[in-house]
Amino acid sequence: MIDLHFVPTPNGHKLSIMLLETGLPHRIVPYNLLAGDLRTPEFRAISPNGRAPAIVDHDPIGGGPPYPMFETGAILIYLAEKAGRLLPAEPRARYRAHQWLMWQMSGLGPMHGQAHHFIRYAPDPPAYAVNRYLTEAKRLLSVMDARLAEAPYLAGDEYSIADIACWSWIRAARAIDIDIADYPALADWFARVGERPAVRQGAHVPPDNHQLQSGSRKMPVTPEQWAKLFQHDMQGRPYTEPEA
Ligand SMILES: N[C@@H](CCC(=O)N[C@@H](CS)C(=O)NCC(=O)O)C(=O)O
């Protein structure tokens, strides 16, 4: 049994989709980012970086006690190896899957994440920051579009964990006013992958449980929720939890 410590965000949905694709037995442990749920010592013991999602595998590869894991790229590789699925066997395709997975983890996710932050959360976003991250977000989509114009999936002919890692970030692009129709090969891939039963189901796990799932451009976050989420107030002053 695998516990998925879950938030309904693009990173969270990578793993809800992956677990459904592989059929590995799992249960969802939901967290509310806006309530500061990630700040507990129990969660830090699973995810030392304090970010979600994370997993605990109670029947880990290699046996032994329950195995906690953080970082979705590492978790996707682990789950693919455990299930023997979604990482191509052919070496060139396999290492292409690794390359596009690392590209998602170091480029697509962080850069789109910063674009979402400045466009949707920042109270008075500096034009410089918005332009920098939006320009980079769009450049990354052009790179992905060029790849998908030459192959049906990122690793080649086979759907893989690289596609799973990218799909939920592409789904979120509309919230920062990016129209993926501007990237035709990417838009075609997005629709094809989105039709997979595990993707349809996994992208809606669990039912809406807090406002971060809102599709609105500007996020309706209260000052208290803001402080709990970012650990500083809207003026950048450090936040400390009030005494109980
Ligand atoms: N590189 C990490 C990123 C995880 C991450 O940033 N998760 C966000 C939610 S999508 C989070 O935990 N945010 C809470 C916070 O920033 O405190 C991964 O892929 O696992």
Side-chain angles (χ1 to χ4, degrees), residues 7 9-12 14 33 38-39 50-53 70-73 105 169 229-230:
V7 288
T9 64
N11 286 319
K14 289 179 200 172
L33 287 176
L38 303 184
R39 310 288 168 216
R51 299 286 186 270
F70 70 115
E71 285 297 329
T72 53
M105 294 297 294
W169 278 103
L229 178 57
F230 296 119

Side-chain angles (χ1 to χ4, degrees), residues 41-238:
E42 291 79 13
F43 183 68
R44 291 284 163 143
I46 300 168
S47 179
N49 194 34
R51 299 286 186 270
I55 63 165
V56 177
D57 189 351
H58 294 271
D59 178 23
I61 296 177
Y67 187 63
M69 288 191 81
F70 70 115
E71 285 297 329
T72 53
I75 297 169
L76 285 170
I77 294 171
Y78 175 86
L79 295 174
E81 290 183 349
K82 181 164 187 166
R85 293 203 48 221
L86 297 165
L87 252 181
E90 192 273 314
R92 285 170 184 265
R94 188 175 189 91
Y95 295 113
R96 266 197 307 269
H98 281 271
Q99 291 170 65
W100 284 102
L101 177 63
M102 298 305 151
W103 175 85
Q104 186 285 310
M105 294 297 294
S106 60
L108 184 69
M111 294 302 129
H112 277 239
Q114 293 303 316
H116 279 261
H117 179 85
F118 283 107
I119 293 171
R120 304 178 68 205
Y121 291 87
D124 294 306
Y128 178 86
V130 169
N131 289 338
R132 167 164 169 74
Y133 288 113
L134 200 51
T135 303
E136 181 62 1
K138 289 180 177 171
R139 188 192 70 80
L140 289 161
L141 296 192
S142 301
V143 172
M144 198 173 159
D145 188 50
R147 170 60 186 152
L148 291 166
E150 59 186 27
Y153 297 105
L154 290 165
D157 292 332
E158 266 182 64
Y159 173 68
S160 75
I161 53 175
D163 302 291
I164 294 176
C166 293
W167 189 86
S168 50
W169 278 103
I170 300 304
R171 180 169 74 137
R174 66 189 153 83
I176 51 171
D177 292 343
I178 291 179
D179 183 356
I180 62 166
D182 294 341
Y183 308 89
L186 184 151
D188 177 69
W189 164 93
F190 178 75
R192 252 183 302 119
V193 172
E195 280 162 14
R196 297 178 65 87
V199 176
R200 291 168 82 108
Q201 194 185 336
H204 295 99
V205 170
D208 288 11
N209 69 353
H210 65 70
Q211 297 170 23
L212 282 188
Q213 241 177 355
S214 155
S216 65
R217 188 173 192 274
K218 209 70 184 168
M219 294 302 291
V221 177
T222 68
E224 194 196 349
Q225 289 171 330
W226 175 284
K228 287 194 162 159
L229 178 57
F230 296 119
Q231 297 294 287
H232 58 75
D233 68 17
M234 285 180 163
Q235 284 71 46
R237 290 180 297 246

